[in-house]
């Protein structure tokens, strides 16, 4: 099959054979299997697509492999061998994961999912995509004019800082944020200090009030 993907890279950390790689090869895709996360090489010049197995991976509170939040900023990523009910699909979609392939899925559906994802399409349940799309449209429709100084604050916030604001708003503590973003707690504290300064918040309570007021704008800017 024709695809703009050079190679599918599978992070497969369990002893069992990687059946999905065999399936991918059967439709003409070049594959490479990596056993350890440390062996992943993010070649920026290539058009590789990364598939991370949920099984055998260290997971965050949403059931998403911790490694994913670091990868999605640089390369296309999807998850496979996902156990149903063990992962928050909405969080995965909003994080930037291209799709989910479940361990109990029929082979023909996995094949369809692979084809769609390497063709730069999302592979999620249609109701979920519709729900997210409706929410974004609603945010655009109900968008209120915001003060110029707030616009300036939103523009000064980095993508990582906006992500941390959303995690703080969801109740995540520094340790959880560090695990989710694969950074140290010290780095999280430095980011939060910068966020307090930029949003003129003295503490988390004031930051939460600020985030609730401008949450939709933060999400759209990010």
């Amino acid at each position: 099959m024709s695809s703009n993907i050079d190679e599918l890279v599978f992070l497969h950390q369990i002893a069992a054979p990687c059946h999905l790689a065999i399936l991918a090869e059967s439709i003409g895709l070049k594959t490479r299997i990596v056993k350890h996360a440390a062996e992943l090489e993010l070649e920026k010049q290539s058009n590789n697509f990364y598939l991370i197995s949920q099984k055998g991976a260290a997971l965050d509170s949403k059931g998403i492999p911790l490694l994913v939040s670091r990868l999605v900023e640089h390369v296309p990523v999807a998850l496979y061998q996902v156990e149903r009910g063990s992962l928050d699909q909405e969080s995965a979609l909003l994080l930037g994961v291209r799709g989910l392939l479940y361990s109990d899925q029929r082979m023909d559906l996995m094949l369809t999912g692979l084809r769609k994802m390497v063709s730069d399409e999302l592979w999620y349940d249609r109701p979920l995509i519709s729900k997210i799309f409706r929410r974004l449209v609603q945010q655009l429709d109900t968008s209120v004019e915001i003060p110029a100084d707030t616009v300036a604050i939103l523009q000064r916030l980095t993508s990582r800082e906006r992500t941390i604001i959303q995690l703080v708003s969801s109740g995540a503590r520094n340790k959880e944020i560090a695990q989710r973003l694969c950074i140290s707690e010290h780095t999280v504290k430095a980011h939060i200090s910068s966020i307090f300064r930029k949003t003129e918040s003295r503490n988390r309570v004031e930051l939460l009030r600020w985030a609730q007021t401008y949450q939709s704008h933060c999400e759209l800017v990010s």
Side-chain angles (χ1 to χ4, degrees):
M1 63 174 286
S2 60
S3 168
N4 59 352
I5 298 297
D6 295 336
E7 186 176 49
L8 287 180
V9 181
F10 293 84
L11 178 58
H12 193 78
Q13 300 181 86
I14 58 174
C18 184
H19 296 298
L20 190 60
I22 298 168
L23 194 64
E25 288 175 358
S26 74
I27 57 171
L29 291 168
K30 184 181 177 186
T31 65
R32 175 156 50 98
I33 298 172
V34 173
K35 290 290 184 185
H36 305 285
E39 298 172 30
L40 284 177
E41 297 172 0
L42 304 183
E43 296 120 2
K44 294 181 180 177
Q45 303 304 318
S46 63
N47 293 314
N48 290 347
F49 193 105
Y50 291 76
L51 286 116
I52 311 299
S53 173
Q54 186 200 37
K55 194 175 290 184
L59 308 177
D60 66 13
S61 60
K62 305 289 187 181
I64 301 168
L66 292 170
L67 175 71
V68 170
S69 60
R70 184 161 58 85
L71 291 180
V72 292
E73 296 180 10
H74 308 288
V75 293
V77 176
L79 300 180
Y80 72 105
Q81 285 191 322
V82 177
E83 293 295 326
R84 288 194 189 275
S86 69
L87 180 143
D88 186 330
Q89 293 185 68
E90 186 173 329
S91 295
L93 176 55
L94 292 174
L95 184 62
V97 175
R98 301 296 181 89
L100 307 174
L101 296 173
Y102 291 95
S103 55
D104 64 352
Q105 226 160 14
R106 298 197 320 264
M107 283 288 192
D108 59 325
L109 276 178
M110 285 194 190
L111 199 56
T112 302
L114 269 178
R115 288 180 189 276
K116 294 288 187 184
M117 289 188 292
V118 299
S119 299
D120 206 24
E121 292 185 39
L122 295 174
W123 185 248
Y124 283 92
D125 294 336
R126 290 181 67 90
L128 176 66
I129 295 177
S130 298
K131 175 185 171 184
I132 299 295
F133 181 75
R134 281 197 306 272
R135 186 188 302 167
L136 289 172
V137 169
Q138 186 179 27
Q139 286 173 354
L140 289 168
D141 287 345
T142 60
S143 183
V144 294
E145 188 140 348
I146 55 176
D149 57 345
T150 303
V151 173
I153 290 172
L154 289 168
Q155 289 174 341
R156 282 201 302 272
L157 289 167
T158 65
S159 175
R160 176 53 58 87
E161 286 170 345
R162 286 193 292 271
T163 300
I164 288 174
I165 288 174
Q166 290 172 13
L167 290 171
V168 169
S169 299
S170 72
R173 309 306 300 171
N174 287 2
K175 184 176 181 179
E176 294 170 315
I177 295 171
Q179 290 176 333
R180 176 74 180 263
L181 301 179
C182 299
I183 56 179
S184 69
E185 283 189 65
H186 177 76
T187 302
V188 173
K189 288 177 184 176
H191 280 307
I192 289 178
S193 294
S194 173
I195 290 165
F196 283 165
R197 188 173 65 254
K198 290 179 181 179
T199 61
E200 298 178 353
S201 303
R202 287 171 297 183
N203 51 47
R204 284 184 179 235
V205 174
E206 290 190 4
L207 177 61
L208 283 172
R209 288 201 198 103
W210 184 92
Q212 285 168 357
T213 305
Y214 302 112
Q215 183 180 19
S216 62
H217 300 286
C218 269
E219 289 173 356
L220 291 172
V221 170
S222 62

